[in-house]
Amino acid sequence: MAPKISFELKATDGKARTGVIDTPRGEIRTPAFMPVGTAATVKAMMPESVRATGADILLGNTYHLMLRPTAERIDRLGGLHKFMNWERPILTDSGGFQVMSLAGLRKLTERGVTFKSHIDGSKHELTPERSMEIQKLLGSDIVMCFDECPALPADRNRIAESMRLSMRWAERSRDAFGDRPGHALFGIMQGGLEQDLREESAEALRGIGFDGYAVGGLAVGEGQEAMFGCLDYAPDMLPQDKPRYLMGVGKPDDIVGAVARGIDMMDCVLPSRSGRTGQAFTRQGVVNIKNARHQDDPRPLDASCSCPACSSYSRAYLHHVFRSNEMISGMLLTWHNLQYFQDIMQGMRDAIAVGTFEAWQKDFHDTRAQGDIDPL
């Protein structure tokens, strides 16, 4: 009998939780931050370097991989883990969000979505059944339901209609997923910023039954205050004994605020995308390495960080390679950002375990508020 994916809650502190998702491919310590490997790679990083930062799980992108190189090809080549040389757990999104945000000329029906590829204009259809099939071909450990997510702000009727369609799709996703020991299926709560619609969505998902639950439809333009307002109640509507995943979040203070409100998993392209554009997240806040103030600075980016960018190179060097468009710039800054995000997660896990999460949070915000070290 293949092992199941299970979740064990180890400790709570207020609403913040720490635990372990146990999978056949290894443990995922929560709260977990999942680096995004859109096209079967975390941009500018080797898989072993991503692992060295402390990442237990990566996110792969159904929409991008189905278009190129195709799920069928990845399956023939031994599955996504082997293909991208990452033997630990992988979560794949359903493709719903990318279809909404990237695809040209899409048509939404009860059956699913037809759209044109942003790569070559070819026509495709994604349905709950096809999304489950693609994610099975990829071999991902955690599979997401196919859903529809309207960008906010949207009117209440549009949000309600969309959420109910997503709940019907969730049921079809569950049926199409079937029984796959060693793999998990997560349902996705929708409902915008409307508390009663969130409750209706959560009730529908609980009725269907999933291995984990995501809070979807946030970080789509509503702002941090509105997002936190929703997270003040949304995670509490989901089962206590299952992992809760906030999709597409976020900045360091978004992540900390989400964990404080009961979230266990997050993902975001921010650390890698920012790294490629010269933006570094440090304990003292955000540093723009392109600024001239760094050009003669022999000090590290962040003195308390153990990543190669901080332990082996100066701000002056990082400034120089960014200005010179050298490839190593994106590599070093991405490594640093991913390391910093994983350090935050480890800090929170440790603090929740011993009941000092509130003090940890205060220190996190106070240190960031100090701003960057003074120029020389």
Side-chain angles (χ1 to χ4, degrees):
M1 183 69 185
K4 278 195 165 5
I5 289 186
S6 62
F7 176 57
E8 186 192 350
L9 206 53
K10 301 267 193 193
T12 57
D13 188 356
K15 284 188 181 182
R17 302 143 50 101
T18 184
V20 171
I21 302 170
D22 201 18
T23 85
R25 290 187 182 270
E27 289 188 343
I28 304 161
R29 299 162 295 165
T30 66
F33 178 79
M34 301 183 281
V36 177
T38 302
T41 169
V42 177
K43 287 183 174 63
M45 293 288 284
M46 301 280 281
E48 47 274 38
S49 313
V50 178
R51 177 66 182 145
T53 66
D56 292 336
I57 176 172
L58 292 186
L59 184 135
N61 218 270
T62 292
Y63 169 85
H64 289 280
L65 295 169
M66 72 177 271
L67 295 179
R68 184 172 61 195
T70 75
E72 286 72 15
R73 177 166 289 135
I74 290 173
D75 179 44
R76 286 197 302 273
L77 292 165
L80 187 54
H81 297 82
K82 184 179 177 195
F83 186 59
M84 69 182 288
N85 186 30
W86 174 267
E87 285 306 326
R88 296 190 60 78
I90 295 175
L91 178 147
T92 43
D93 59 16
S94 69
F97 181 77
Q98 277 73 22
V99 169
M100 302 309 146
S101 60
L102 288 182
L105 300 172
R106 59 179 184 261
K107 187 166 171 251
L108 180 69
T109 64
E110 184 67 39
R111 178 181 154 84
V113 188
T114 48
F115 63 93
K116 280 190 175 171
S117 159
H118 74 288
I119 299 169
D120 60 9
S122 55
K123 270 191 82 168
H124 299 267
E125 182 182 43
L126 256 183
T127 63
E129 292 76 17
R130 176 65 179 145
S131 177
M132 295 304 103
E133 181 189 14
I134 291 166
Q135 294 182 75
K136 186 175 185 175
L137 288 168
L138 296 173
S140 54
D141 306 278
I142 299 177
V143 170
M144 300 305 295
C145 272
F146 189 58
D147 67 334
E148 199 238 336
C149 166
L152 298 179
D155 73 80
R156 185 184 155 87
N157 288 343
R158 167 81 180 89
I159 291 168
E161 204 176 294
S162 165
M163 179 273 288
R164 289 172 189 137
L165 175 64
S166 288
M167 295 309 99
R168 296 192 293 276
W169 284 359
E171 191 143 12
R172 281 167 58 192
S173 295
R174 174 84 263 181
D175 291 345
F177 179 82
D179 184 29
R180 293 181 60 204
H183 301 266
L185 179 66
F186 280 26
I188 305 174
M189 174 210 268
Q190 292 289 356
L193 302 172
E194 311 285 333
Q195 188 163 353
D196 60 325
L197 295 181
R198 287 275 171 191
E199 180 54 67
E200 185 186 326
S201 178
E203 200 177 330
L205 294 173
R206 292 194 308 263
I208 300 165
F210 290 95
D211 305 304
Y213 295 84
V215 180
L218 292 177
V220 288
E222 74 283 355
Q224 188 191 67
E225 198 181 329
M227 177 174 81
F228 282 173
C230 181
L231 291 176
D232 282 336
Y233 57 77
D236 300 332
M237 297 171 171
L238 299 169
Q240 282 282 331
D241 60 345
K242 301 281 193 233
R244 302 159 176 171
Y245 163 30
L246 177 61
M247 306 180 76
V249 170
K251 297 189 180 89
D253 50 334
D254 291 341
I255 289 173
V256 173
V259 169
R261 289 163 174 80
I263 292 293
D264 305 304
M265 303 164 73
M266 279 138 295
D267 75 282
C268 193
V269 296
L270 198 65
S272 45
R273 183 176 288 167
S274 298
R276 300 195 304 281
T277 56
Q279 198 176 51
F281 293 94
T282 74
R283 283 151 184 79
Q284 275 92 18
V286 181
V287 172
N288 263 330
I289 205 66
K290 46 184 167 291
N291 292 350
R293 60 162 284 192
H294 305 297
Q295 66 189 7
D296 289 307
D297 197 332
R299 297 173 296 178
L301 190 55
D302 184 333
S304 41
C305 178
S306 63
C307 84
C310 295
S311 54
S312 305
Y313 299 94
S314 65
R315 287 176 174 228
Y317 180 76
L318 296 172
H319 171 83
H320 160 68
V321 288
F322 181 81
R323 284 288 184 193
S324 306
N325 289 320
E326 288 294 343
M327 213 179 277
I328 196 173
S329 168
M331 293 159 64
L332 287 172
L333 291 179
T334 298
W335 192 322
H336 165 76
N337 284 343
L338 289 173
Q339 182 69 61
Y340 174 58
F341 273 57
Q342 295 299 344
D343 288 352
I344 293 174
M345 306 323 284
Q346 186 61 54
M348 289 194 288
R349 291 192 292 262
D350 292 345
I352 296 164
V354 295
T356 57
F357 183 62
E358 204 161 312
W360 182 93
Q361 249 193 120
K362 185 182 181 321
D363 182 57
F364 167 83
H365 290 298
D366 290 350
T367 309
R368 278 174 67 83
Q370 289 166 18
D372 194 17
I373 51 177
D374 292 328
L376 285 174

